[in-house]
Amino acid sequence: MSDPLVQLLEIELNGSNPDSYEAPFQWRIKLDSLVDFTEPIAISFVWVGSASSSEYDQTLDSFDIGPLSRGTTEFVLECDAPQVGLVPPSDVLGVTILIISFQFKQQEFLRVGYYAQVAYFDPHLNQCPPATVDKTNLGRFIAMPQPVVTLTPITW
C-alpha cells in the first residue's frame, strides 16, 4: 500500500444543473499521473437507487482511461442517466448519491460522492406526487460544491 500515483485535479459536471432526470451526464475530469502506467485506470459512475439496499444501485457507465502517461491528462466522459424504473417508487423523489469510482487493477483508490436531489420541476407535483412517476417532469440537481472525497491506499 502506498500513496496515490494518480491524483484528481479537477472534476466538473458540464451542462445544466439542475437538468432533466433522463438527461445523460457529461463530466470533465483532469488527472495528474506521477508515473507512466502500463494498464488503464477504470472509472465507473454509480447511482444509488435506495438507501435501504444496494440491489437498486445502478452502474450508469464504466470507462477505461489510458494507460496514463506521466503528467496531466484531461478528458470528457458522458454517461447514461439513471433508469427511474429501476428505483423503488418510494425512493425516486428526495436525496440520493452519485458515486464516481476510480480503480487501478480492480482496486478503488479514489471515490467522489455527490448528493443528488431528485424532484419535479413543477412544485405542485412535489407536494402531490402522481401515483406513477412522471419522467417527463422529473429533474435532478447535483450538489457540486460539496463532494465527499475518499482516498484508499492500494497496491500500485
Side-chain angles (χ1 to χ4, degrees):
M1 304 287 178
S2 64
D3 290 336
L5 298 179
V6 176
Q7 297 176 349
L8 177 64
L9 300 178
E10 295 177 22
I11 187 165
E12 177 183 16
L13 176 62
N14 293 338
S16 299
N17 190 31
D19 203 350
S20 166
Y21 186 90
E22 295 184 303
F25 292 97
Q26 189 179 80
W27 295 89
R28 185 184 64 79
I29 299 171
K30 186 186 281 188
L31 300 175
D32 184 42
S33 175
L34 302 179
V35 298
D36 288 326
F37 282 89
T38 58
E39 296 184 43
I41 300 295
I43 302 174
S44 58
F45 296 82
V46 178
W47 185 263
V48 176
S50 175
S52 63
S53 173
S54 62
E55 80 176 89
Y56 299 107
D57 292 358
Q58 297 178 46
T59 299
L60 305 180
D61 255 319
S62 294
F63 302 90
D64 284 341
I65 305 299
L68 299 176
S69 298
R70 183 178 182 170
T72 302
T73 303
E74 184 174 338
F75 48 90
V76 174
L77 298 176
E78 183 171 294
C79 70
D80 297 332
Q83 296 179 45
V84 73
L86 299 179
V87 177
S90 61
D91 290 328
V92 170
L93 298 178
V95 177
T96 190
I97 299 170
L98 173 67
I99 298 168
I100 305 171
S101 174
F102 296 76
Q103 307 106 35
F104 181 68
K105 295 184 178 179
Q106 300 180 334
Q107 304 168 92
E108 184 179 67
F109 65 90
L110 173 66
R111 176 180 284 208
V112 181
Y114 290 101
Y115 289 104
Q117 175 70 41
V118 178
Y120 287 107
F121 290 117
D122 179 345
H124 175 73
L125 290 175
N126 287 317
Q127 293 173 353
C128 304
T132 303
V133 175
D134 179 2
K135 297 188 295 187
T136 60
N137 288 307
L138 199 58
R140 63 165 192 252
F141 172 75
I142 308 298
M144 289 304 298
Q146 299 127 359
V148 176
V149 179
T150 306
L151 297 170
T152 304
I154 65 167
T155 302
W156 293 92

